[in-house]
Amino acid sequence: MNLTYYGHSSFSIDFAGIKLLFDPFITPNELAKDIDVSAIEADYILLSHGHADHVADAIQLAKQTGAKVISNYEIIMWLGREGIENGHPMNHGGAFDFDFGKVRYVNAVHSSALDDGTYLGNPGGFIVSNGQHRFYYSGDTALTMDMQLLPRYGKLDFAILPIGDNFTMGVDDAITASDFIQCNKVFGVHYDTFGYIKINHEEAIEKFSKAGKELILAEIGSTIKIAD
């Protein structure tokens, strides 16, 4: 299973031949200026919440790719008003079987609105699974006790967690989160994009290592094998 990182919290996962694109924020991100958005492919687009740094390119990419968009009810209704009709609404605690596997929409502690005040529902995260693999993308969130419930849905191959602090968990809380979800392989997101969330990469990796865990910090535009 390969993961391509587009910067901030935007990434694509090749999930048994199906391309899953998460939280596309690329064109406004100066750190991702070398990414050609017109070349991005997606079968599904999953949006964790309605902040601009997670949905900025969602409309363009949904139209460009024809992908089905999976998100909370309010975001799917908003996209419908913007001309995106191929959407699948979800809400917290619910799961649905798609052709690539099961998606469960789980709690996140954050906020969710556009800069103009448009309310886009409650933030969330996703557990994505099929018969072979299972991973968790938390979306933007604080450390929350709800994460301790996630192992009941099965063992995770890896997790994608924010580590930038200020707006979300920082490195120390992400380590605790990995304890809660019982997953020691973490792909870090939501760091360095803005001044508020710049981190020391070597220090972050060392902290995870000392806790017996692996933190992966990928180069923007790179593709890595993240699970067999």
Side-chain angles (χ1 to χ4, degrees):
M1 183 162 36
N2 294 327
L3 184 152
T4 300
Y5 185 48
Y6 297 119
H8 198 54
S9 295
S10 183
F11 57 94
S12 178
I13 290 180
D14 186 334
F15 200 62
I18 302 296
K19 294 180 174 63
L20 309 180
L21 175 65
F22 292 78
D23 285 356
F25 170 72
I26 303 164
T27 54
N29 182 4
E30 178 63 23
L31 299 180
K33 63 182 183 297
D34 294 330
I35 300 295
D36 181 5
V37 174
S38 67
I40 292 177
E41 299 177 346
D43 298 302
Y44 291 85
I45 298 173
L46 292 84
L47 305 176
S48 65
H49 66 291
H51 283 159
D53 61 329
H54 292 257
V55 302
D57 294 307
I59 293 172
Q60 175 186 338
L61 283 166
K63 291 178 178 179
Q64 171 183 307
T65 64
K68 182 181 289 293
V69 183
I70 303 170
S71 191
N72 68 34
Y73 178 85
E74 289 82 1
I75 288 177
I76 297 302
M77 295 304 104
W78 165 66
L79 289 173
R81 294 191 295 272
E82 297 293 329
I84 306 301
E85 297 181 355
N86 190 15
H88 183 100
M90 300 191 73
N91 219 319
H92 295 81
F96 191 85
D97 289 318
F98 295 90
D99 61 359
F100 61 86
K102 177 174 287 189
V103 174
R104 184 177 298 276
Y105 191 64
V106 297
N107 288 345
V109 177
H110 197 58
S111 54
S112 180
L114 296 179
D115 293 344
D116 64 6
T118 301
Y119 171 66
L120 290 181
N122 291 317
F126 302 99
I127 297 175
V128 181
S129 61
N130 61 15
Q132 292 182 303
H133 297 291
R134 179 178 289 104
F135 67 90
Y136 167 52
Y137 170 45
S138 70
D140 283 8
T141 188
L143 177 66
T144 169
M145 298 296 284
D146 287 345
M147 293 174 177
Q148 295 183 80
L149 296 172
L150 301 191
R152 68 182 300 204
Y153 302 121
K155 182 174 176 56
L156 297 167
D157 293 289
F158 62 93
I160 303 103
L161 303 178
I163 57 172
D165 219 342
N166 193 75
F167 297 114
T168 67
M169 297 186 294
V171 169
D172 293 336
D173 279 354
I175 290 171
T176 302
S178 70
D179 287 336
F180 284 1
I181 63 176
Q182 298 176 22
C183 180
N184 291 331
K185 187 171 188 176
V186 173
F187 186 90
V189 296
H190 208 281
Y191 64 93
D192 283 358
T193 317
F194 319 114
Y196 294 119
I197 59 173
K198 290 187 181 297
I199 67 166
N200 183 314
H201 293 206
E202 292 182 0
E203 181 181 276
I205 291 170
E206 183 178 2
K207 282 186 173 183
F208 268 79
S209 179
K210 285 183 176 179
K213 304 172 189 299
E214 178 186 9
L215 175 64
I216 301 168
L217 302 180
E219 294 292 330
I220 294 174
S222 66
T223 298
I224 62 171
K225 184 176 181 179
I226 200 164
D228 292 327

